[in-house]
Amino acid sequence: MILALESSCDETAIAAFSPEKGVVANWTTTQTAIHERHGGVVPDLATREHLRHFGPLIEQARHTLDIDSVETVAVTRGPGLAACLALGLAAAKALGLALRRPVVGVNHLRAHAWSPFIPVHAGDPGAFRTALSDLLPHLGLLVSGGNTLLLSIEEDGSVSQLATTRDDAAGEALDKGAKLLGLGYPGGPRIEALSKGGNPKAHDFPRALLARSEPDFSFSGLKTSLRYLVERLPEEDVRGGLSDLCASYQAAVVDSLVRKTGHAIESQGARWRSLGLSGGVANNGALRAACETLAGSNGMTFLPALPAHTGDNAAMIAFAAWADEPGVDRRSGMSLTMDPSLPLEAVYL
């Protein structure tokens, strides 16, 4: 069994994964209410909360799990907020010493990339490798508050970045858009909720870098366009037309993500067997539905990460520690270090 810790940003999480059973435990403590008062994540507060919550979560794991069956302690070593990563790493090393078990480092981005395969494993753990071979090569869309990536997982398990954002991540654009509209933090879910009663064609927001020859994303111009529109409109029109503004703004984000993903599919013909959707923004219903349609129209299996595994969570860290052999740092043990800028393609073979 693998016991994993995650603390890359503002979620304190512990999970356990067994190759024979799947995810057997998954605990996450969120700090949203604390950071909401500040309009975004405050690193010092996030670190303080990790220090406060890791102890009780470890105690819960100790009383719930058969700790003696833990063979490996896994921990997020990057990317993320430096102080938050360092605290998680210290907790993992303490566990490793107490249990006399090896400590390994997991790439947070690669864990997101592999998270859509957790339910595949859960369906039949013994047949996972066979099922996996039928789903590779895999095209993944990772969309969160800090990252927007298109990636591939090849038949040999190698992970490559195909595209990224040149400026804001999609989740960041949604959060900043919500702040401009006075909706508070976190903004993405609030924009989605208001969008359900709005007209997505009410406002013509820009979609950047849509040429097929340009694989990357860009969302800073979209945010700027919303700011100019809000400044130009009378306040009563903004308040009265909030649903239309949210629906149009969300539509621009979703359309950009899906169009770019479609271009990636077209550029490499019919080689893709599955399309994955992961990261916190993967919970957005409009994005989920659009990606499912895109996958179906191209004969691909759609693999969305489960809602419990979309945000920052330890279950995906534990699963990646088992499934993502090239991306797991097993070299350092107690001298393992964090890397706030750890790239997706970091490998340790």
Side-chain angles (χ1 to χ4, degrees):
M1 188 164 65
I2 299 169
L3 187 63
L5 284 69
E6 151 66 21
S7 63
S8 62
C9 190
D10 62 334
E11 312 286 355
T12 311
I14 294 181
F17 171 82
S18 163
E20 293 77 27
K21 298 178 182 179
V23 178
V24 296
N26 187 24
W27 298 284
T28 302
T29 301
T30 182
Q31 304 175 14
T32 301
I34 294 171
H35 299 290
E36 184 177 8
R37 299 193 292 266
H38 303 275
V41 176
V42 180
D44 285 350
L45 293 181
T47 307
R48 181 198 70 187
E49 291 302 301
H50 287 312
L51 184 61
R52 190 160 72 93
H53 290 297
F54 261 131
L57 285 180
I58 291 171
E59 275 297 290
Q60 191 170 357
R62 190 171 69 85
H63 290 294
T64 304
L65 302 170
D66 177 10
I67 288 295
D68 290 337
S69 66
V70 172
E71 295 182 357
T72 304
V73 176
V75 62
T76 304
R77 64 173 300 256
L81 299 175
C84 295
L85 290 169
L87 202 147
L89 211 63
K93 290 178 180 180
L95 264 177
L97 285 170
L99 299 176
R100 298 183 180 180
R101 297 292 189 269
V103 179
V104 302
V106 175
N107 187 315
H108 182 85
L109 295 179
R110 292 174 74 104
H112 271 306
W114 281 98
S115 63
F117 293 95
I118 297 177
V120 176
H121 177 276
D124 189 347
F128 174 71
R129 296 298 179 186
T130 301
L132 182 63
S133 66
D134 293 334
L135 296 168
L136 302 179
H138 170 82
L139 177 65
L141 175 61
L142 194 171
V143 196
S144 68
N147 298 278
T148 299
L149 300 173
L150 273 172
L151 57 93
S152 69
I153 302 179
E154 301 298 334
E155 291 169 296
D156 63 358
S158 60
V159 179
S160 300
Q161 180 176 298
L162 305 179
T164 187
T165 179
R166 291 188 176 181
D167 36 63
D168 293 346
E172 182 183 4
L174 288 168
D175 284 343
K176 288 181 177 178
K179 189 173 183 178
L180 286 169
L181 294 171
L183 301 179
Y185 172 88
R190 298 178 186 184
I191 284 182
E192 182 181 10
L194 285 166
S195 294
K196 293 176 181 176
N199 176 9
K201 297 182 179 179
H203 302 280
D204 186 20
F205 287 112
R207 280 78 161 155
L209 304 178
L210 288 185
R212 280 174 165 76
S213 59
E214 177 48 70
D216 286 343
F217 302 92
S218 174
F219 296 101
S220 63
L222 171 63
K223 176 194 63 182
T224 302
S225 178
L226 176 62
R227 178 166 64 85
Y228 287 157
L229 178 61
V230 169
E231 290 174 351
R232 188 169 68 249
L233 290 174
E235 185 176 349
E236 57 271 22
D237 289 353
V238 173
R239 295 299 104 197
L242 200 54
S243 290
D244 286 347
L245 280 167
C246 288
S248 300
Y249 190 78
Q250 176 180 269
V253 173
V254 171
D255 191 35
S256 295
L257 291 168
V258 175
R259 283 203 207 184
K260 287 291 188 183
T261 305
H263 293 167
I265 294 172
E266 293 169 7
S267 69
Q268 299 201 35
R271 87 182 193 91
W272 305 112
R273 294 187 178 181
S274 60
L275 173 64
L277 179 62
S278 60
V281 184
N283 277 334
N284 181 281
L287 177 60
R288 218 170 177 92
C291 286
E292 184 172 14
T293 299
L294 179 64
S297 65
N298 286 277
M300 302 165 67
T301 300
F302 180 49
L303 298 176
L306 295 175
H309 304 149
T310 52
D312 296 340
N313 66 95
M316 70 178 189
I317 302 300
F319 182 74
W322 174 73
D324 183 29
E325 186 67 27
V328 179
D329 188 350
R330 305 178 189 278
R331 305 168 305 166
S332 302
M334 287 299 149
S335 60
L336 189 69
T337 58
M338 55 86 179
D339 184 348
S341 302
L342 188 66
L344 175 79
E345 296 175 338
V347 295
Y348 305 97
L349 294 177

